[in-house]
Each structure stands twice: as structure tokens, then as C-alpha cells.
Amino acid sequence: AQTVTQSQPEMSVQEAETVTLSCTYDTSESDYYLFWYKQPPSRQMILVIRQEAYKQQNATENRFSVNFQKAAKSFSLKISDSQLGDAAMYFCAYRSAQGGSEKLVFGKGTKLTVNP
Amino acid sequence: EAQVTQNPRYLITVTGKKLTVTCSQNMNHEYMSWYRQDPGLGLRQIYYSMNVEVTDKGDVPEGYKVSRKEKRNFPLILESPSPNQTSLYFCASSFSYRVETQYFGPGTRLLVL
């Protein structure tokens, strides 16, 4: 079974600075998807960024980018120019690309605090 | 507006009193799923549905039932709730397994006394 590990329960960053959240995963599959979801205090789950395992290029979405290291099974999220609105729980998630395996496997989350 | 809706958003109930949490999506998605979120455990899948009348167990199905009679609706049923089912519940949907992004509802916070 696949597992996702987020080793940092909490992180903090100064406004306008850069922070990196770590995520590692364990799988025997070669084709899969990886995601970062943001959960603000409203509790809504918001997709931040996604990465297809077959793509070597790291995904980017505005101030959010990932460092995807397939061999190392690592998928870190970098937030540049941090803003107060980035404060939230961040969850890393894995999904198999095999048909019938739509389940998202989540890590336990990292709570990000942004200091003004 | 494309969205996943859940009702109720907050619910306090007592042990053994049957309840249903509704989930509805207006995006014509085939795939729907229920997760529960507990502190320190992240989100875990309860049940999922590939399409109408097709449902299957996730990782933590005990104590829950689901049905998928219509494509847009996927209710979660707790026949006899217990305190260990106190949690935050999320419904999610996606067009199909070929489209990887799942869209989440706003969550339902349940307290079972």
C-alpha cells in the first residue's frame, strides 16, 4: 500500500520570504499523480498544485512550485514571496494512475504559519 | 458555479441516532468519494463510487453506508453513530479516474455524544 509522509508537523515563515514543505511517499508503481492541497481555517480543501509522475519538469503555479525527485520519492512544495493568506494546513497526496485506483492517499499535514 | 455541496455543515447528535450527510455535485462527475479527517491522521477514504450504482469500500468503511442512485448525489449514512465517528467529513468528486483532480466539498463537522 502507498504511504505519504510529511515530516514537518509545523513550519513558520516570515511574510515575503520563501518556505519549503517536505513530502516523501512510498510506492512500487511507476505511474501516479502527486498533489498539494491547502486547508485554510475555513476547512475547505483547495488544490494548490499537481504533478504527473511521468513528467520530468517540475510543476509551477504562480508562487508555488514543486521539487519532484522521482527516484528519491520526494515531492516538496516551495512557496515564494509568502503571504499572510498562505497560512494554512498543507497536505501532500498521492493517487495511482491505474484505473480503479482513484483514492487519494494523504499525508498527515504541515501547519504553516506566516509571520508579518 | 461548479461546486460540491454538503449538508449539514455542522451536526451534533447522540449515539445510535441514524443520520445522513448529503453530498451533491453539479459538474456531471462520475467519481465521488467520502473522506474523514481526524487530528494527526490526515484524511482517510471511507467509500467511493465510480458511477451510478457502483460503490466500494475505502480504508475506513466500518459504521458507514453509502448509495449512488443518481449521478450527482452521494449521501453518507451512519446507521448507528458512535462517538468514534466524531470527525470532519469531506465529499469529493472528479470527472473520471482519468482526470486526476478531485474537487472537495466544504466539509461537515460531526459530533456524536
Side-chain angles (χ1 to χ4, degrees):
Chain A
Q2 295 84 15
T3 59
V4 176
T5 301
Q6 293 178 248
S7 58
Q8 308 152 314
E10 296 188 26
M11 293 280 286
S12 63
V13 63
Q14 291 296 126
E15 196 175 3
E17 294 189 348
T18 296
V19 64
T20 298
L21 308 184
S22 300
C23 173
T24 58
Y25 57 95
D26 187 28
T27 183
S28 59
E29 299 175 338
S30 59
D31 198 13
Y32 48 86
Y33 303 100
L34 295 165
F35 307 86
W36 280 99
Y37 279 90
K38 170 185 177 181
Q39 187 179 44
S42 67
R43 295 297 189 180
Q44 177 71 303
M45 293 291 287
I46 303 166
L47 178 69
V48 175
I49 199 166
R50 68 182 185 217
Q51 174 82 41
E52 292 89 343
Y54 64 85
K55 291 185 177 179
Q56 293 186 341
Q57 186 174 8
N58 289 325
T60 62
E61 287 287 342
N62 301 313
R63 298 183 294 106
F64 299 87
S65 62
V66 298
N67 183 6
F68 174 48
Q69 303 286 331
K70 191 172 185 179
K73 297 179 182 176
S74 172
F75 183 60
S76 59
L77 174 70
K78 185 171 82 171
I79 306 174
S80 303
D81 186 24
S82 297
Q83 300 175 359
L84 295 177
D86 295 334
M89 283 289 289
Y90 286 82
F91 292 95
C92 179
Y94 169 103
R95 187 180 83 77
S96 170
Q98 295 178 3
S101 299
E102 291 74 10
K103 177 178 68 177
L104 282 169
V105 178
F106 285 88
K108 295 181 180 181
T110 297
K111 181 180 180 181
L112 178 66
T113 301
V114 181
N115 300 310
Chain B
E1 179 187 356
Q3 60 182 349
V4 179
T5 57
Q6 294 178 227
N7 283 293
R9 294 289 311 280
Y10 304 92
L11 180 60
I12 301 174
T13 189
V14 295
T15 299
K17 185 176 181 181
K18 180 179 178 180
L19 66 92
T20 299
V21 183
T22 64
C23 173
S24 182
Q25 49 90 7
N26 62 1
M27 297 169 278
N28 201 34
H29 284 172
E30 292 181 349
Y31 175 79
M32 298 185 75
S33 180
W34 277 102
Y35 295 87
R36 62 176 288 174
Q37 182 181 13
D38 302 290
L41 296 177
L43 284 85
R44 296 174 293 168
Q45 190 184 53
I46 303 171
Y47 268 96
Y48 65 93
S49 170
M50 302 278 284
N51 213 323
V52 176
E53 301 294 358
V54 180
T55 64
D56 207 347
K57 297 177 180 178
D59 294 324
V60 287
E62 294 77 21
Y64 304 95
K65 286 176 58 178
V66 293
S67 68
R68 188 90 182 273
K69 295 187 172 67
E70 303 168 283
K71 197 172 188 178
R72 63 182 292 132
N73 297 322
F74 189 45
L76 179 70
I77 303 157
L78 285 72
E79 294 270 3
S80 183
S82 62
N84 65 11
Q85 293 179 297
T86 292
S87 187
L88 178 60
Y89 292 87
F90 286 98
C91 180
S93 73
S94 63
F95 184 70
S96 76
Y97 75 90
R98 294 189 183 277
V99 178
E100 64 277 13
T101 301
Q102 291 188 23
Y103 296 89
F104 283 79
T108 295
R109 187 171 292 280
L110 172 65
L111 173 61
V112 182
L113 301 173

